[in-house]
Amino acid sequence: MTEALSINELEAELADRESRIALLRAEQVVLVQRAEWAQATQSDGSRSMEEWVQARLDVRPEVARDLVLASRRIARHRTISHRLADGRISFDRAIATLRYAEAGATPEQVDESFERDLGTVSRLKARQRRITTEDESSLFTDRYFVVQPSLDESTYRMWGQVPGAMGRTVEKAITQRADELRLIAESTGVSSTRGQRQADSLVAIARDSLDAEVHNRPDVPDGRASGGQVTVFVDASVRDAAETSAEIMYGPRVGPNTLEAMLCGGAAVNVVGLQDGVPVVTSRATRAIPRAIRDRVAHRDGGCTIDGCTSRYRLQPHHIVRVADGGTNDIDNLTTLCWYHHHVAIHGSGYQIDPESPPHRRRLLRCPLGNRGPPPRSHDPG
Ligand SMILES: [Zn+2]
Ligand SMILES: [Zn+2]
């Protein structure tokens, strides 16, 4: 090939070599198949045929993978195997078409694909991918979801894997709720990330589920869903509000924000102050907001009082002066908030209600977390 060749001739020569490569690959495919039958992997402890081929031929993992795939499957697809054996298609095209066929393309679709460029065949294959019954049932069997608390239960990690259809259901529910939360946050100046909103959304969905369960039980009075009296131990020697930590009896350690949320939510909380581990002060159990007061506040406010918020979701009275700071159940100390503003923006993220803002158009102030008055000590609610 030393004489000058025209471009057409060069092209023909190149195509000819590619065709020869295809023929050689076709021969390799047959040899790989025989090696597998002979249980070649057992000779050197390779974990897979792909690994064995890769090591023997010193080729990239993709090439080994393609050779093994072809050795196992190409015989089922005659139009492809014949074309490869004749050198009419390149090895790469044989593999792309094989994958397309294996994904469920009909013989007619496979025939048509020989007219398309390789990139198109790969795209067609991605669209075609049909999950076999076998794949499907193992995907379903392998489904799992883990909710794992840290040792002191101050955080939880969650992860898992479910089949596509189940995953889409979960994703749709979470995204839909997160979108609602985004609208509330944006229209009232609360900053939040997408990840935070998705987490909030998951919790809101869980809350709904628990409440639905309670509402279906005639023995549980309305509104006192989370049930029972909670005893909380607080380290009375800690004077810095930011460091207040409390431990729920038989439960997780919680920080000052969660404690205040419990007190504000009117859960029957019994606060026990500890000095060096010894109980020194015990408050009376926090009285829940009386029904009549709740109703009056709800009627007065008619919805979430945060300026710009139209959410009606899980409206609850909130104590403007914190319960831990001596805030009472007096009607003037209560304002109605939706779940997002109450639990996410205020008790969760540390926003506070601007006391200067008008009662029905409350504004939120971004406050540095933790800088919120003295820690809860012995107090006399109501
Ligand atoms: Zn509150
Ligand atoms: Zn709101």
Side-chain angles (χ1 to χ4, degrees):
M1 288 211 320
T2 46
E3 73 277 29
L5 295 172
S6 71
I7 295 195
N8 281 345
E9 287 166 332
L10 281 169
E11 208 181 300
E13 290 295 332
L14 279 167
D16 171 67
R17 299 306 183 278
E18 190 60 41
S19 165
R20 284 198 245 168
I21 291 171
L23 291 172
L24 289 169
R25 286 288 188 212
E27 288 175 22
Q28 278 185 322
V29 166
V30 175
L31 293 169
V32 167
Q33 189 182 48
R34 287 198 199 156
E36 187 164 29
W37 287 343
Q39 299 184 313
T41 50
Q42 287 181 10
S43 65
D44 71 343
S46 296
R47 281 166 303 177
S48 65
M49 208 48 210
E50 286 83 354
E51 196 179 292
W52 186 85
V53 171
Q54 194 191 336
R56 290 296 166 287
L57 303 186
D58 196 22
V59 290
R60 284 178 298 120
E62 299 78 43
V63 176
R65 191 192 57 202
D66 290 349
L67 280 168
V68 173
L69 171 74
S71 76
R72 290 173 182 165
R73 311 293 301 182
I74 205 165
R76 293 165 188 247
H77 304 278
R78 298 197 157 234
T79 48
I80 307 170
S81 57
H82 286 171
R83 282 169 200 247
L84 178 66
D86 293 350
R88 271 187 288 161
I89 56 173
S90 70
F91 184 66
D92 288 353
R93 175 170 290 274
I95 292 298
T97 316
L98 175 58
R99 290 186 193 284
Y100 183 39
E102 290 273 301
T106 62
E108 294 74 39
Q109 286 174 315
V110 169
D111 278 345
E112 280 170 34
S113 78
F114 289 119
E115 309 302 322
R116 315 283 190 103
D117 65 77
L118 270 184
T120 306
V121 178
S122 300
R123 273 196 301 282
L124 285 172
K125 176 240 152 194
R127 237 180 289 157
Q128 189 68 36
R129 182 161 189 273
R130 206 183 286 157
I131 298 172
T132 66
T133 316
E134 202 178 312
D135 288 343
E136 200 169 33
S137 86
S138 74
L139 278 174
F140 191 75
T141 309
D142 293 345
R143 73 195 184 281
Y144 74 98
F145 186 70
V146 181
V147 178
Q148 190 183 68
S150 61
L151 278 180
D152 66 358
E153 296 185 40
S154 59
T155 59
Y156 276 66
R157 286 175 61 80
M158 299 165 209
W159 67 96
Q161 185 176 308
V162 295
M166 289 171 81
R168 272 194 298 280
T169 303
V170 175
E171 185 188 34
K172 195 176 167 194
I174 290 182
T175 309
Q176 204 167 300
R177 186 61 73 90
D179 283 346
E180 293 167 22
L181 299 182
R182 183 175 54 81
L183 288 178
I184 299 173
E186 280 175 0
S187 61
T188 57
V190 177
S191 60
S192 63
T193 65
R194 189 179 131 83
Q196 287 170 341
R197 287 190 301 267
Q198 303 228 108
D200 299 339
S201 158
L202 183 62
V203 174
I205 292 167
R207 269 254 66 96
D208 284 355
S209 167
L210 290 174
D211 281 9
E213 191 186 314
V214 167
H215 288 313
N216 291 333
R217 281 173 50 190
D219 56 314
V220 180
D222 176 51
R224 298 262 55 85
S226 12
Q229 175 166 306
V230 185
T231 296
V232 177
F233 299 106
V234 178
D235 188 344
S237 58
V238 178
R239 286 284 176 270
D240 182 353
E243 287 176 15
T244 308
S245 77
E247 190 165 343
I248 296 171
M249 192 154 76
Y250 307 125
R253 284 193 77 77
V254 296
N257 297 338
T258 308
L259 184 60
E260 175 62 18
M262 291 170 68
L263 294 168
C264 185
V269 179
N270 205 16
V271 181
V272 179
L274 300 175
Q275 193 89 55
D276 300 324
V278 180
V280 285
V281 275
T282 302
S283 77
R284 282 282 301 130
T286 305
R287 239 173 289 139
I289 302 168
R291 184 89 225 178
I293 302 279
R294 287 181 88 91
D295 291 349
R296 276 176 65 198
V297 172
H299 182 257
R300 179 196 65 192
D301 296 339
C304 181
T305 56
I306 300 297
D307 192 16
C309 181
T310 55
S311 172
R312 315 282 307 169
Y313 180 60
R314 211 179 283 284
L315 298 165
Q316 285 176 334
H318 164 72
H319 295 76
I320 298 169
V321 176
R322 309 191 329 152
V323 180
D325 298 340
T328 66
N329 287 340
D330 190 274
I331 189 161
D332 290 331
N333 190 42
L334 297 170
T335 192
T336 304
L337 296 178
C338 69
W339 177 82
Y340 186 80
H341 283 120
H342 195 197
H343 289 284
V344 178
I346 292 180
H347 290 303
S349 309
Y351 285 85
Q352 278 185 14
I353 287 177
D354 179 356
E356 303 296 310
S357 56
H360 286 89
R361 302 187 60 185
R362 301 283 189 185
R363 282 186 304 271
L364 291 170
L365 296 174
R366 187 82 160 116
C367 290
L369 277 171
N371 182 22
R372 282 184 267 163
R377 279 189 293 274
S378 174
H379 55 267
D380 183 21

